[in-house]
């Protein structure tokens, strides 16, 4: 079945430390992949996306993600976390050729400690 | 930067009542979507809408749900007779094309009592 998995429910990182949030997908081909962030009381803001081409994509707020076909993964990274990065992060995928439905992971809550 | 807007931000209703959730998509976007997120669960796709027709819908989107674009700017989700399990955050989204980035609104938190 088509699915997106975020193995980590909650991660705590010290301010200034690096961050990696994991995302795996299950699909027979390469989906379109997205990372969204949701701050408390806010909607889902797009951080970055991968459609094709360069497997390392840059996004807003200093985030990047790397698509690895061999691992069916699209992990999100940031070299130095800021306190304002504390939020919930969602990985999502568009899987079907003509489909419009984004399939979301369960999300990872990021806490930043000082 | 253009944004998707949603009203109301919060709505409380009694079980069995009808509710209408409203969205104003980004003005040059052609595809419109509704998703929901039950507390503690994944964001789930409900329906997509293009050219005044439903493009795709999930199993969740049963006869109790309907969508409409009543004018050139609004996109609505109607729940005909609400159930307790309809309590969730409902997100509207829009995109320029069928496999383009979907931009989300801030959501409407619906509580059914």
């Amino acid at each position: 079945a088509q699915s997106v998995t975020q193995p980590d429910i909650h991660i705590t990182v010290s301010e200034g430390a690096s961050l990696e949030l994991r995302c795996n997908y299950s699909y027979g081909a390469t989906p379109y992949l997205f990372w969204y962030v949701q701050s408390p009381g806010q909607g889902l803001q797009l951080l970055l996306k991968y459609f094709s081409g360069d497997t390392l994509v840059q996004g807003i707020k200093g985030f990047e993600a790397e698509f690895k076909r061999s691992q069916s993964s699209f992990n999100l990274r940031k070299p130095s976390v800021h306190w304002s990065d504390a939020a919930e992060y969602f990985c999502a995928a568009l899987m079907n050729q003509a489909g419009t439905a984004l399939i979301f992971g369960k999300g990872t809550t990021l806490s930043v400690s000082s | 930067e253009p944004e998707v807007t949603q009203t109301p931000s919060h709505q409380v209703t009694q079980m069995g009542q009808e509710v209408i959730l409203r969205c104003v998509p980004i003005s040059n976007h052609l595809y419109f979507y509704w998703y929901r997120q039950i507390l503690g669960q994944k964001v789930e796709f409900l329906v997509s809408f293009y050219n005044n027709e439903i493009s795709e819908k999930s199993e969740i989107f049963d006869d109790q749900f309907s969508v409409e674009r009543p004018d050139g700017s609004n996109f609505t989700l109607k729940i005909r007779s609400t159930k307790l399990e309809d309590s969730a955050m409902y997100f509207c989204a829009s995109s320029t094309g069928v496999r383009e980035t979907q931009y989300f609104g801030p959501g409407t938190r619906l509580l059914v009592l």
Side-chain angles (χ1 to χ4, degrees), chain B residues 25-41:
Chain B
I26 295 172
S27 63
N28 65 336
H29 285 190
L30 301 176
Y31 282 80
F32 315 116
Y33 313 84
W34 284 102
Y35 291 80
R36 77 172 185 191
Q37 185 183 27
I38 295 172
L39 193 64
Q41 298 187 23

Side-chain angles (χ1 to χ4, degrees), chain A residues 10-91:
Chain A
H10 191 187
I11 285 182
T12 299
V13 173
S14 298
E15 190 168 15
S18 64
L19 168 71
E20 183 168 29
L21 302 182
R22 296 182 291 164
C23 172
N24 294 94
Y25 65 88
S26 174
Y27 182 52
T30 300
Y32 287 9
L33 294 159
F34 305 84
W35 275 98
Y36 287 89
V37 61
Q38 184 181 30
S39 299
Q42 304 295 311
L44 297 165
Q45 181 183 21
L46 179 72
L47 284 176
L48 46 76
K49 62 189 178 188
Y50 173 76
F51 285 3
S52 64
D54 193 346
T55 57
L56 184 64
V57 293
Q58 303 297 320
I60 62 171
K61 305 185 181 186
F63 286 93
E64 66 178 26
E66 186 172 12
F67 169 66
K68 291 186 178 179
R69 186 191 311 274
S70 62
Q71 298 177 18
S72 298
S73 69
F74 188 55
N75 293 350
L76 181 71
R77 301 194 294 244
K78 187 170 184 177
S80 177
V81 167
H82 188 261
W83 64 266
S84 60
D85 293 325
E88 188 155 21
Y89 291 80
F90 293 94
C91 182

Side-chain angles (χ1 to χ4, degrees), chain B residues 12-29:
Chain B
V12 181
T13 190
Q14 296 292 322
M15 189 169 56
Q17 295 296 303
E18 174 184 286
V19 295
I20 297 176
L21 309 182
R22 290 182 168 79
C23 168
V24 178
I26 295 172
S27 63
N28 65 336
H29 285 190

Side-chain angles (χ1 to χ4, degrees), chain A residues 4 32 34 36 38 41-44 46 49 51 88 90 94-102 104-106, chain B residues 31 33 35 37 40-45 47-48 55-56 89 91 98-107:
Chain A
V4 174
Y32 287 9
F34 305 84
Y36 287 89
Q38 184 181 30
Q42 304 295 311
L44 297 165
L46 179 72
K49 62 189 178 188
F51 285 3
E88 188 155 21
F90 293 94
L94 269 176
M95 295 199 183
N96 290 324
Q97 198 63 16
T100 56
L102 271 174
F104 281 83
K106 281 195 170 183
Chain B
Y31 282 80
Y33 313 84
Y35 291 80
Q37 185 183 27
Q41 298 187 23
K42 290 186 181 188
V43 177
E44 301 172 292
F45 170 79
V47 67
S48 60
S55 297
E56 187 177 357
M89 178 75 91
F91 292 106
V98 65
R99 286 176 69 76
E100 298 297 330
T101 301
Q102 295 178 26
Y103 294 89
F104 285 77

